[in-house]
Amino acid sequence: MVAGRGVALKALGKELHLPGVKAAVLKQQWRAVEELPKKRTVVAKLVKESRGRWAWRPRSLREIKRAEKKCGQKISSGKELMDAWNKRELLRDKASASKWYRENTSSGFGVPALSVKFPELARGWRSVLRIISGYLWTVPRLVRAKLIETQDAGCIFCGDLRGETEDHMLLHCKAWTTERELTEALAGTRPNGDSYKVALRRANEKERRGLLVWAAALLEKIEAKRQATLAPLKITRRRGRSPKDEVLLPDYHAAP
């Protein structure tokens, strides 16, 4: 299985039951501390002679003890330690994602409240939510999903060789310069820098509200023009078949 763009590696690891790097290291440290002293080889001798604060055994024991404390439970095996650490990381990631979601969608200045105040920007709010979730349908993503077909590696709207990305669409695409100026006049603001998400994170609540309205208004204005450009590129049939299937009837008058 290949994890491409738009795939959360943490979620993929969870689905495939793959431990994180830190969790896997802790398991191996536990195994080394428990098993190596029992070996009947020179390794056991090296373990016994491993002394000092920064020798591998004392250091591994400190790491294991620290991990147990952070997990908040008593550990009895390496696998149990690995599973506990994975669970801790998952909960931490969920908390971080929930905080970001609350700040941008559920708060008083979030998308639902703003979409009620600006119902005329319905399509724009839908696209803003896709940007927040990390998967706006840019041209490269449409091509990878086999929804459109184009050989142009650059931006098909302005010709930029770097191709269309979320930030390029919102901040740099020359095809939407007029719409960008009109949107700035409407919202009274525009993001600074080269990344919309970074500007959104750094903004306070009042500034974030303006940036969300700005993005929704811009995406609403350019949606129809984008769809008109993409329409001829859409794949409406299965690959390998002609648009019209011809039925060849047998010629009964032909010579045998």
Side-chain angles (χ1 to χ4, degrees):
M1 181 178 290
V2 178
R5 294 181 182 177
V7 176
L9 295 181
K10 287 283 187 180
L12 182 62
K14 180 186 175 185
E15 291 296 325
L16 298 179
H17 305 288
L18 299 175
V21 175
K22 178 67 174 178
V25 169
L26 286 171
K27 179 183 178 182
Q28 294 303 320
Q29 283 181 314
W30 182 287
R31 178 178 177 274
V33 169
E34 291 291 323
E35 299 294 332
L36 292 185
K38 303 176 184 178
K39 299 290 184 181
R40 295 182 179 180
T41 62
V42 70
V43 174
K45 182 179 179 181
L46 292 174
V47 170
K48 293 178 182 179
E49 295 177 355
S50 177
R51 299 176 182 177
R53 177 175 175 79
W54 299 108
W56 77 267
R57 180 177 171 82
R59 188 171 183 178
S60 295
L61 289 171
R62 288 199 306 274
E63 288 288 338
I64 292 172
K65 187 175 181 180
R66 191 178 296 118
E68 284 182 328
K69 184 177 180 180
K70 289 183 177 180
C71 292
Q73 64 184 83
K74 188 65 177 177
I75 305 297
S76 59
S77 68
K79 185 178 185 307
E80 186 179 347
L81 178 60
M82 181 181 69
D83 293 340
W85 191 266
N86 269 334
K87 183 178 179 181
R88 176 182 178 274
E89 287 191 336
L90 181 61
L91 292 175
R92 185 180 60 182
D93 292 340
K94 284 184 177 180
S96 177
S98 298
K99 180 181 177 182
W100 169 247
Y101 185 82
R102 286 195 305 271
E103 289 177 352
N104 292 279
T105 61
S106 301
S107 66
F109 297 101
V111 172
L114 290 172
S115 64
V116 173
K117 189 172 182 179
F118 300 94
E120 68 277 8
L121 305 178
R123 291 183 298 181
W125 293 123
R126 181 181 61 191
S127 297
V128 167
L129 286 174
R130 286 177 175 168
I131 291 176
I132 292 174
S133 64
Y135 214 82
L136 181 67
W137 283 108
T138 57
V139 170
R141 287 170 178 164
L142 290 169
V143 172
R144 287 197 298 272
K146 294 182 173 57
L147 296 176
I148 66 171
E149 188 173 27
T150 177
Q151 302 298 324
D152 194 344
C155 177
I156 64 175
F157 302 101
C158 70
D160 193 302
L161 298 178
R162 291 172 293 182
E164 187 185 47
T165 62
E166 295 172 356
D167 289 327
H168 173 77
M169 181 195 304
L170 291 172
L171 305 174
H172 306 298
C173 187
K174 296 179 181 178
W176 318 126
T177 301
T178 302
E179 288 80 1
R180 209 172 284 116
E181 293 174 352
L182 294 174
T183 302
E184 184 176 354
L186 172 67
T189 186
R190 64 164 296 164
N192 296 320
D194 294 327
S195 174
Y196 176 74
K197 284 186 178 180
V198 171
L200 205 60
R201 291 192 193 100
R202 292 177 177 175
N204 57 39
E205 288 189 351
K206 184 177 180 180
E207 292 171 343
R208 185 181 298 121
R209 177 181 179 275
L211 292 177
L212 289 170
V213 173
W214 176 87
L218 175 61
L219 293 167
E220 180 75 25
K221 288 180 181 297
I222 69 176
E223 178 67 18
K225 295 181 180 179
R226 289 188 81 250
Q227 292 301 325
T229 304
L230 294 172
L233 306 176
K234 289 183 178 179
I235 299 175
T236 57
R237 57 186 174 85
R238 288 186 293 173
R239 292 179 179 272
R241 295 187 61 184
S242 59
K244 295 181 180 179
D245 293 332
E246 297 181 1
V247 179
L248 300 178
L249 299 177
D251 187 357
Y252 294 104
H253 301 286

